[in-house]
Amino acid sequence: MKRIKVSNNVIRRLPRYLRKLDELSDAGIDRISSGELGRQMGLTPSQIRQDFSCFGEFGQQGYGYNVLALRTEIAKILGMDRNFTAVLVGVGNIGHALIDHFSFSRYGFRLVAAFDVKKEVVGTNIGDVPVYDIRDLRGDVAEMKPDIAVLCVPRTYANTVAHTLLDTGVKGIWNFTNVELDIPETAMVIENIYFSDSLLALGYYLSERIDEMEARAARKRL
Amino acid sequence: MKRIKVSNNVIRRLPRYLRKLDELSDAGIDRISSGELGRQMGLTPSQIRQDFSCFGEFGQQGYGYNVLALRTEIAKILGMDRNFTAVLVGVGNIGHALIDHFSFSRYGFRLVAAFDVKKEVVGTNIGDVPVYDIRDLRGDVAEMKPDIAVLCVPRTYANTVAHTLLDTGVKGIWNFTNVELDIPETAMVIENIYFSDSLLALGYYLSERIDEMEARAARKRL
């Protein structure tokens, strides 16, 4: 695929488009205008056209977008057809929840193994995912050559494990440790899930909402 | 506090500033220029000055920012001093992990109760958080009047529970269900943690990285 540099904002919107297109498709809608898509997503039609133009031409003037074709293109742009493989390190609550409930395959990833330290879980299978001893992490991962690792270890181990993964040639980390890893962007693709950032944003919007409500109430009293 | 409309991009950067300032403070650094802060965060100095100017003046020309003072201001903007209260609904793996490992208090939220359906867990305490029967959700929440609810129920129950919470006057939902809730923005502040969006973004950046590596390898072979 030819690659042009696309802004992070556009890339972050692609999964949202995907969810929306899946929803439309589930509802039996097979064509949508940029105007209608924008209305449903809180974006302007021109922003939508501009987003998609980064990757080529998907729509047709006066005809709109074919929902399934657009969905296929976006999935391809996101690499969902590349059969990425993943291992998960740290089968605590979060790790366990991801193995049990998160559909990696739906997003183009195959979860091939998990690693943990606890005797009770090492050697078992969770669903169809085998759990190996974390002491074998280096050797096993070097052999398995997964594309990414899902990092769910306690925060004190985050950087040590991340560096082991880097050494063994893992190309990306999906980081649930809430620790900023000290690995440069050039060495590895790192995607962080910071629960705190999300909760703090919620706190901001909530404060704003409460202030507005109070200001309205105050105006009424005048 | 006087409120001006601030762009979502700026708001989303505030928690990142907060993390960076905590890190600087932990390292004993008490003053930083916008240039150095920008370098460490991958932002331009003018972007940083512009971000902070949305909320007033924090820095001094030629002097830089006082790390602690700036941290205090950002915490205030994010509502961290407002003593928000929260309940958590659905003590599965994710819910359990949040109660056990996520420091709500660190971000200005007090987690006062959890709700679940399972007999083994109802009536127990997890840490210092009591778990109540989800059948009492409506009555209990109406009485407790929490500011937000952390929604961790299975996806099939997401909208039902969300509407119950809305009915009882909860003002915000931190949504871990991976379901887009059918509640309008005007009725409630909803902050979604979409694991899939994050993994798909990782897939994009990974694809880009792999394509670049292959292109480089191909050029070498020529």
Coordinates of all heavy atoms in Angstrom, one line a residue, chain A residues 102-178:
Chain A
F102 N -12.5 -9.7 25.4 CA -12.2 -8.8 24.3 C -11.9 -9.7 23.0 O -11.1 -10.6 23.0 CB -10.9 -8.0 24.6 CG -10.6 -7.0 23.5 CD1 -11.4 -5.8 23.4 CD2 -9.7 -7.2 22.6 CE1 -11.2 -4.9 22.4 CE2 -9.4 -6.3 21.6 CZ -10.2 -5.1 21.5
S103 N -12.6 -9.3 22.0 CA -12.5 -10.1 20.7 C -11.3 -9.6 19.9 O -11.5 -8.8 19.0 CB -13.8 -10.0 19.9 OG -13.6 -10.7 18.7
F104 N -10.1 -10.1 20.2 CA -8.9 -9.7 19.4 C -9.1 -10.0 17.9 O -8.8 -9.2 17.1 CB -7.7 -10.5 19.9 CG -7.2 -9.9 21.2 CD1 -7.6 -10.4 22.4 CD2 -6.2 -8.9 21.2 CE1 -7.1 -9.9 23.6 CE2 -5.7 -8.4 22.4 CZ -6.2 -8.9 23.6
S105 N -9.7 -11.2 17.6 CA -9.8 -11.6 16.2 C -10.7 -10.6 15.4 O -10.5 -10.4 14.2 CB -10.4 -13.0 16.2 OG -11.6 -13.1 16.7
R106 N -11.7 -10.1 16.1 CA -12.6 -9.1 15.4 C -11.8 -8.0 14.8 O -12.2 -7.3 13.9 CB -13.6 -8.7 16.4 CG -14.6 -7.7 15.8 CD -15.8 -7.5 16.7 NE -16.6 -6.5 16.2 CZ -17.7 -6.0 16.7 NH1 -18.1 -6.5 17.9 NH2 -18.4 -5.0 16.2
Y107 N -10.7 -7.6 15.5 CA -9.9 -6.5 15.1 C -8.6 -6.8 14.3 O -7.7 -6.1 14.2 CB -9.6 -5.6 16.3 CG -11.0 -5.2 16.9 CD1 -11.4 -5.8 18.1 CD2 -11.8 -4.3 16.3 CE1 -12.6 -5.4 18.6 CE2 -13.1 -4.0 16.8 CZ -13.4 -4.6 18.0 OH -14.7 -4.3 18.5
G108 N -8.5 -8.1 13.9 CA -7.4 -8.5 13.1 C -6.2 -9.0 13.8 O -5.2 -9.2 13.2
F109 N -6.4 -9.3 15.1 CA -5.3 -9.8 15.9 C -5.6 -11.2 16.4 O -6.7 -11.5 16.7 CB -5.0 -8.9 17.1 CG -4.4 -7.6 16.8 CD1 -5.2 -6.6 16.3 CD2 -3.0 -7.4 17.0 CE1 -4.6 -5.3 16.0 CE2 -2.5 -6.2 16.7 CZ -3.2 -5.2 16.2
R110 N -4.6 -12.1 16.4 CA -4.7 -13.4 16.9 C -3.9 -13.5 18.2 O -2.7 -13.3 18.2 CB -4.3 -14.5 15.9 CG -4.7 -15.9 16.2 CD -4.7 -16.7 14.9 NE -3.4 -16.6 14.2 CZ -2.3 -17.3 14.5 NH1 -2.4 -18.3 15.4 NH2 -1.2 -17.2 13.8
L111 N -4.6 -13.8 19.3 CA -3.9 -13.9 20.6 C -3.5 -15.3 20.8 O -4.3 -16.2 20.9 CB -4.9 -13.5 21.8 CG -4.3 -13.5 23.2 CD1 -3.2 -12.5 23.3 CD2 -5.4 -13.1 24.2
V112 N -2.1 -15.5 20.7 CA -1.6 -16.9 20.6 C -1.1 -17.4 22.0 O -1.1 -18.6 22.2 CB -0.4 -17.0 19.6 CG1 -1.0 -16.7 18.2 CG2 0.7 -16.0 20.0
A113 N -0.8 -16.6 23.0 CA -0.4 -17.1 24.3 C -0.4 -16.0 25.3 O -0.5 -14.8 25.0 CB 1.1 -17.6 24.1
A114 N -0.5 -16.4 26.6 CA -0.4 -15.5 27.7 C 0.7 -15.9 28.6 O 1.2 -17.1 28.5 CB -1.7 -15.4 28.4
F115 N 1.2 -15.0 29.4 CA 2.3 -15.3 30.3 C 2.0 -14.8 31.7 O 1.4 -13.7 31.8 CB 3.7 -14.7 29.9 CG 4.2 -15.3 28.6 CD1 3.8 -14.8 27.3 CD2 5.1 -16.4 28.7 CE1 4.2 -15.4 26.2 CE2 5.5 -17.0 27.5 CZ 5.1 -16.5 26.2
D116 N 2.3 -15.6 32.7 CA 2.0 -15.1 34.1 C 3.0 -15.8 35.0 O 3.7 -16.7 34.7 CB 0.6 -15.3 34.5 CG 0.2 -14.4 35.7 OD1 0.1 -13.2 35.4 OD2 0.1 -14.9 36.8
V117 N 3.0 -15.3 36.3 CA 3.9 -15.7 37.3 C 3.3 -16.7 38.2 O 3.9 -17.5 38.9 CB 4.5 -14.5 38.0 CG1 3.5 -13.8 38.9 CG2 5.7 -14.9 38.8
K118 N 1.9 -16.7 38.3 CA 1.2 -17.5 39.3 C 1.1 -19.0 38.9 O 0.6 -19.3 37.9 CB -0.2 -16.9 39.5 CG -0.2 -15.5 40.1 CD -1.7 -15.0 40.4 CE -2.5 -14.8 39.1 NZ -2.0 -13.7 38.3
K119 N 1.5 -19.8 39.9 CA 1.5 -21.3 39.7 C 0.2 -21.8 39.3 O 0.0 -22.7 38.5 CB 1.9 -21.9 41.0 CG 3.4 -22.1 41.3 CD 3.7 -23.2 42.2 CE 5.2 -23.2 42.7 NZ 5.3 -22.2 43.8
E120 N -0.9 -21.2 39.9 CA -2.3 -21.7 39.7 C -2.7 -21.6 38.2 O -3.5 -22.3 37.7 CB -3.3 -21.0 40.5 CG -3.0 -20.7 41.9 CD -2.2 -19.5 42.1 OE1 -2.8 -18.4 42.1 OE2 -0.9 -19.6 42.3
V121 N -2.1 -20.6 37.5 CA -2.6 -20.3 36.2 C -1.6 -20.8 35.1 O -2.1 -21.1 34.0 CB -3.0 -18.8 36.0 CG1 -1.7 -17.9 36.2 CG2 -3.6 -18.5 34.8
V122 N -0.3 -20.8 35.4 CA 0.6 -21.3 34.4 C 0.3 -22.8 34.1 O 0.1 -23.6 35.0 CB 2.1 -21.2 35.0 CG1 3.1 -21.9 34.1 CG2 2.5 -19.7 35.2
G123 N 0.3 -23.1 32.8 CA 0.0 -24.4 32.4 C -1.4 -24.7 32.1 O -1.8 -25.7 31.5
T124 N -2.3 -23.7 32.4 CA -3.7 -23.9 32.1 C -4.0 -23.2 30.7 O -3.2 -22.5 30.2 CB -4.6 -23.2 33.2 OG1 -4.4 -21.8 33.2 CG2 -4.2 -23.8 34.6
N125 N -5.3 -23.3 30.3 CA -5.8 -22.6 29.2 C -6.9 -21.6 29.6 O -7.7 -22.1 30.4 CB -6.3 -23.5 28.1 CG -5.3 -24.0 27.1 OD1 -4.1 -24.2 27.5 ND2 -5.7 -24.2 25.9
I126 N -6.9 -20.4 29.1 CA -8.0 -19.6 29.4 C -8.7 -19.4 28.0 O -8.2 -18.9 27.1 CB -7.6 -18.2 29.9 CG1 -6.8 -18.4 31.2 CG2 -8.8 -17.3 30.2 CD1 -6.3 -17.1 31.8
G127 N -9.9 -20.0 27.9 CA -10.5 -20.2 26.6 C -9.6 -21.0 25.8 O -9.2 -22.1 26.3
D128 N -9.2 -20.6 24.6 CA -8.2 -21.4 23.9 C -6.8 -20.8 23.9 O -5.9 -21.1 23.1 CB -8.7 -21.6 22.4 CG -9.0 -20.3 21.7 OD1 -8.8 -19.2 22.4 OD2 -9.4 -20.3 20.6
V129 N -6.6 -19.9 24.9 CA -5.2 -19.3 25.0 C -4.4 -20.0 26.1 O -4.8 -19.9 27.3 CB -5.4 -17.8 25.4 CG1 -4.0 -17.1 25.5 CG2 -6.2 -17.1 24.3
P130 N -3.3 -20.6 25.8 CA -2.4 -21.2 26.8 C -1.7 -20.2 27.6 O -1.2 -19.2 27.1 CB -1.5 -22.1 25.9 CG -1.4 -21.4 24.6 CD -2.8 -20.7 24.4
V131 N -1.5 -20.5 28.9 CA -0.8 -19.6 29.8 C 0.6 -20.2 30.1 O 0.6 -21.3 30.7 CB -1.5 -19.3 31.1 CG1 -0.8 -18.2 31.9 CG2 -2.9 -18.8 30.8
Y132 N 1.7 -19.5 29.8 CA 3.0 -20.0 30.0 C 3.6 -19.3 31.2 O 3.2 -18.2 31.6 CB 3.9 -19.9 28.7 CG 3.3 -20.6 27.6 CD1 3.0 -20.0 26.4 CD2 3.2 -22.0 27.6 CE1 2.5 -20.7 25.3 CE2 2.7 -22.7 26.5 CZ 2.3 -22.1 25.4 OH 1.8 -22.8 24.3
D133 N 4.7 -19.8 31.6 CA 5.5 -19.3 32.7 C 6.2 -18.0 32.3 O 7.0 -18.1 31.3 CB 6.5 -20.3 33.3 CG 7.1 -19.9 34.6 OD1 7.3 -18.7 34.8 OD2 7.3 -20.8 35.4
I134 N 6.1 -16.9 33.0 CA 6.7 -15.7 32.6 C 8.2 -15.8 32.6 O 8.9 -15.0 31.9 CB 6.2 -14.5 33.5 CG1 6.4 -13.2 32.7 CG2 6.9 -14.5 34.8 CD1 5.7 -12.0 33.3
R135 N 8.8 -16.8 33.4 CA 10.2 -16.9 33.4 C 10.7 -17.4 32.0 O 11.9 -17.3 31.7 CB 10.7 -17.9 34.5 CG 10.6 -17.3 35.8 CD 10.9 -18.3 36.9 NE 9.8 -19.3 36.9 CZ 9.7 -20.3 37.8 NH1 10.6 -20.4 38.8 NH2 8.8 -21.2 37.7
D136 N 9.8 -18.0 31.2 CA 10.2 -18.4 29.8 C 9.9 -17.3 28.8 O 10.0 -17.6 27.6 CB 9.5 -19.7 29.5 CG 9.8 -20.8 30.5 OD1 10.9 -20.9 31.0 OD2 8.9 -21.7 30.7
L137 N 9.5 -16.2 29.2 CA 9.0 -15.1 28.3 C 10.0 -14.9 27.2 O 9.7 -14.9 26.0 CB 8.8 -13.8 29.1 CG 8.2 -12.6 28.3 CD1 6.8 -13.0 27.8 CD2 8.2 -11.3 29.1
R138 N 11.3 -14.6 27.5 CA 12.3 -14.2 26.5 C 12.4 -15.3 25.4 O 12.3 -15.0 24.2 CB 13.6 -14.0 27.2 CG 14.7 -13.4 26.3 CD 16.0 -13.1 27.0 NE 15.9 -12.0 27.9 CZ 16.2 -10.8 27.6 NH1 16.6 -10.5 26.4 NH2 16.0 -9.8 28.5
G139 N 12.6 -16.5 25.9 CA 12.8 -17.6 24.9 C 11.5 -17.9 24.1 O 11.6 -18.1 22.9
D140 N 10.4 -18.0 24.8 CA 9.1 -18.3 24.1 C 8.8 -17.2 23.1 O 8.3 -17.5 22.0 CB 8.0 -18.4 25.1 CG 8.1 -19.7 25.9 OD1 9.0 -20.5 25.6 OD2 7.3 -19.9 26.8
V141 N 8.9 -16.0 23.5 CA 8.5 -14.9 22.6 C 9.5 -14.8 21.4 O 9.1 -14.6 20.2 CB 8.5 -13.5 23.3 CG1 8.4 -12.4 22.3 CG2 7.3 -13.5 24.3
A142 N 10.8 -15.1 21.6 CA 11.7 -15.1 20.5 C 11.3 -16.1 19.5 O 11.5 -16.0 18.3 CB 13.1 -15.4 21.0
E143 N 10.8 -17.2 20.0 CA 10.3 -18.3 19.1 C 9.0 -18.0 18.4 O 8.8 -18.3 17.2 CB 10.2 -19.6 20.0 CG 10.4 -20.9 19.2 CD 10.6 -22.0 20.2 OE1 11.7 -22.1 20.9 OE2 9.7 -22.8 20.3
M144 N 8.1 -17.5 19.2 CA 6.7 -17.3 18.7 C 6.7 -16.1 17.7 O 5.8 -16.0 16.9 CB 5.7 -16.9 19.8 CG 5.4 -18.1 20.7 SD 4.5 -17.5 22.1 CE 4.4 -19.0 23.1
K145 N 7.6 -15.1 17.9 CA 7.6 -13.9 17.1 C 6.3 -13.2 16.9 O 5.8 -13.0 15.8 CB 8.2 -14.2 15.7 CG 9.6 -14.8 15.7 CD 10.2 -14.8 14.3 CE 11.4 -15.7 14.1 NZ 12.4 -15.6 15.1
P146 N 5.6 -12.9 18.0 CA 4.3 -12.2 17.9 C 4.6 -10.7 17.4 O 5.7 -10.2 17.6 CB 3.8 -12.2 19.3 CG 5.0 -12.2 20.1 CD 6.0 -13.1 19.4
D147 N 3.6 -10.1 16.7 CA 3.8 -8.8 16.3 C 3.7 -7.8 17.5 O 4.5 -6.9 17.6 CB 2.7 -8.4 15.3 CG 2.9 -9.2 14.0 OD1 3.9 -8.9 13.3 OD2 2.0 -10.0 13.7
I148 N 2.8 -8.1 18.4 CA 2.6 -7.2 19.5 C 2.5 -8.0 20.8 O 2.2 -9.2 20.8 CB 1.4 -6.3 19.4 CG1 0.1 -7.1 19.5 CG2 1.4 -5.5 18.1 CD1 -1.1 -6.3 20.0
A149 N 2.7 -7.2 21.9 CA 2.4 -7.8 23.2 C 1.4 -6.9 23.9 O 1.5 -5.7 23.8 CB 3.7 -7.9 24.0
V150 N 0.5 -7.5 24.7 CA -0.4 -6.7 25.5 C 0.1 -6.8 26.9 O 0.3 -7.8 27.5 CB -1.8 -7.4 25.4 CG1 -2.8 -6.6 26.2 CG2 -2.3 -7.7 24.0
L151 N 0.5 -5.6 27.4 CA 1.2 -5.5 28.6 C 0.3 -5.2 29.8 O -0.3 -4.1 29.9 CB 2.3 -4.4 28.5 CG 3.4 -4.4 29.6 CD1 4.2 -5.7 29.6 CD2 4.3 -3.2 29.4
C152 N 0.1 -6.2 30.7 CA -0.9 -6.0 31.8 C -0.2 -6.4 33.1 O -0.9 -6.8 34.1 CB -2.1 -7.0 31.6 SG -2.9 -6.7 30.0
V153 N 1.1 -6.3 33.2 CA 1.8 -6.6 34.5 C 1.6 -5.4 35.5 O 1.3 -4.3 35.1 CB 3.3 -6.8 34.2 CG1 3.4 -8.1 33.3 CG2 4.0 -5.6 33.6
P154 N 1.9 -5.7 36.8 CA 1.9 -4.6 37.7 C 2.9 -3.5 37.3 O 3.9 -3.8 36.7 CB 2.3 -5.3 39.0 CG 2.0 -6.7 38.8 CD 2.2 -7.0 37.4
R155 N 2.6 -2.2 37.7 CA 3.4 -1.1 37.2 C 4.9 -1.2 37.5 O 5.7 -0.7 36.7 CB 2.8 0.2 37.6 CG 2.3 0.4 39.1 CD 1.6 1.7 39.3 NE 2.3 2.8 38.8 CZ 1.7 3.9 38.2 NH1 0.4 3.9 38.0 NH2 2.5 4.9 37.8
T156 N 5.2 -1.8 38.6 CA 6.6 -1.9 39.0 C 7.4 -2.8 38.0 O 8.7 -2.6 37.9 CB 6.8 -2.5 40.4 OG1 5.9 -3.5 40.6 CG2 6.6 -1.4 41.4
Y157 N 6.8 -3.6 37.3 CA 7.5 -4.5 36.3 C 7.3 -4.0 34.9 O 7.9 -4.6 34.0 CB 6.9 -5.9 36.4 CG 7.1 -6.6 37.7 CD1 6.0 -6.7 38.6 CD2 8.3 -6.9 38.2 CE1 6.1 -7.3 39.8 CE2 8.5 -7.5 39.5 CZ 7.3 -7.7 40.3 OH 7.5 -8.2 41.5
A158 N 6.6 -2.9 34.7 CA 6.2 -2.5 33.3 C 7.5 -2.3 32.4 O 7.5 -2.9 31.3 CB 5.4 -1.2 33.4
N159 N 8.4 -1.5 32.9 CA 9.6 -1.3 32.0 C 10.5 -2.5 31.8 O 11.0 -2.7 30.7 CB 10.4 0.0 32.5 CG 9.8 1.2 32.0 OD1 9.8 1.4 30.8 ND2 9.3 2.1 32.8
T160 N 10.7 -3.2 32.9 CA 11.6 -4.4 32.7 C 11.0 -5.4 31.7 O 11.7 -5.8 30.8 CB 11.6 -5.2 34.1 OG1 11.8 -4.3 35.1 CG2 12.8 -6.2 34.1
V161 N 9.7 -5.7 31.8 CA 9.1 -6.6 30.8 C 9.1 -6.0 29.4 O 9.4 -6.6 28.4 CB 7.6 -7.0 31.2 CG1 7.0 -7.8 30.2 CG2 7.7 -7.7 32.6
A162 N 8.8 -4.7 29.3 CA 8.8 -4.0 28.0 C 10.1 -4.1 27.3 O 10.2 -4.4 26.1 CB 8.4 -2.5 28.2
H163 N 11.2 -4.0 28.1 CA 12.5 -4.1 27.5 C 12.9 -5.5 27.0 O 13.5 -5.7 26.0 CB 13.6 -3.5 28.4 CG 13.7 -2.0 28.3 ND1 14.4 -1.4 27.4 CD2 13.1 -1.0 29.1 CE1 14.3 0.0 27.5 NE2 13.5 0.2 28.6
T164 N 12.4 -6.5 27.8 CA 12.6 -7.9 27.4 C 11.9 -8.1 26.0 O 12.4 -8.7 25.1 CB 12.0 -8.8 28.4 OG1 12.6 -8.6 29.7 CG2 12.2 -10.3 28.0
L165 N 10.6 -7.5 25.9 CA 9.9 -7.7 24.7 C 10.6 -7.0 23.5 O 10.6 -7.6 22.4 CB 8.5 -7.1 24.9 CG 7.6 -7.9 25.9 CD1 6.4 -7.1 26.3 CD2 7.2 -9.3 25.3
L166 N 11.1 -5.8 23.8 CA 11.8 -5.1 22.7 C 13.0 -5.9 22.3 O 13.3 -6.1 21.1 CB 12.3 -3.8 23.3 CG 13.2 -2.9 22.4 CD1 12.4 -2.5 21.1 CD2 13.6 -1.6 23.2
D167 N 13.8 -6.5 23.2 CA 15.0 -7.3 22.9 C 14.6 -8.5 22.0 O 15.4 -8.9 21.2 CB 15.6 -7.9 24.2 CG 16.2 -6.8 25.0 OD1 16.4 -5.7 24.6 OD2 16.6 -7.1 26.2
T168 N 13.4 -9.1 22.2 CA 13.1 -10.3 21.5 C 12.4 -9.9 20.1 O 12.0 -10.9 19.4 CB 12.1 -11.1 22.3 OG1 11.0 -10.3 22.6 CG2 12.7 -11.7 23.5
G169 N 12.3 -8.7 19.8 CA 11.9 -8.3 18.5 C 10.4 -8.0 18.3 O 9.9 -7.8 17.2
V170 N 9.7 -7.9 19.5 CA 8.3 -7.5 19.4 C 8.2 -6.1 18.9 O 9.0 -5.2 19.3 CB 7.6 -7.6 20.8 CG1 6.3 -7.0 20.8 CG2 7.6 -9.1 21.2
K171 N 7.3 -5.8 17.9 CA 7.3 -4.5 17.3 C 6.3 -3.5 17.9 O 6.4 -2.3 17.6 CB 6.9 -4.7 15.8 CG 8.0 -5.5 15.0 CD 7.7 -5.6 13.5 CE 6.5 -6.6 13.2 NZ 6.9 -8.0 13.3
G172 N 5.4 -4.0 18.7 CA 4.4 -3.1 19.3 C 4.0 -3.5 20.7 O 3.9 -4.7 21.0
I173 N 3.6 -2.6 21.5 CA 3.1 -2.9 22.8 C 1.8 -2.2 23.0 O 1.7 -0.9 22.8 CB 4.1 -2.5 24.0 CG1 5.2 -3.5 24.0 CG2 3.4 -2.5 25.3 CD1 6.2 -3.2 25.1
W174 N 0.7 -2.9 23.5 CA -0.5 -2.3 23.9 C -0.4 -2.3 25.4 O -0.5 -3.3 26.1 CB -1.7 -3.2 23.4 CG -3.0 -2.5 23.4 CD1 -3.3 -1.2 23.5 CD2 -4.3 -3.2 23.4 NE1 -4.6 -0.9 23.5 CE2 -5.3 -2.1 23.5 CE3 -4.7 -4.5 23.4 CZ2 -6.7 -2.4 23.4 CZ3 -6.1 -4.8 23.3 CH2 -7.0 -3.7 23.4
N175 N -0.3 -1.1 25.9 CA 0.2 -0.9 27.3 C -1.0 -0.5 28.2 O -1.5 0.6 28.2 CB 1.2 0.2 27.3 CG 1.8 0.6 28.6 OD1 1.6 -0.2 29.6 ND2 2.3 1.7 28.8
F176 N -1.3 -1.5 29.1 CA -2.4 -1.2 30.1 C -1.8 -1.0 31.5 O -2.5 -1.0 32.5 CB -3.3 -2.5 30.2 CG -4.3 -2.6 29.1 CD1 -3.9 -3.1 27.9 CD2 -5.6 -2.2 29.3 CE1 -4.8 -3.3 26.9 CE2 -6.5 -2.3 28.3 CZ -6.1 -2.8 27.0
T177 N -0.5 -0.7 31.6 CA 0.1 -0.6 32.9 C 0.0 0.7 33.6 O 0.3 0.9 34.7 CB 1.6 -0.9 32.9 OG1 2.3 0.1 32.1 CG2 1.9 -2.3 32.3
N178 N -0.5 1.7 32.8 CA -0.6 3.1 33.2 C 0.7 3.7 33.5 O 0.8 4.7 34.2 CB -1.6 3.2 34.4 CG -3.0 3.0 34.0 OD1 -3.6 3.7 33.3 ND2 -3.6 2.0 34.6

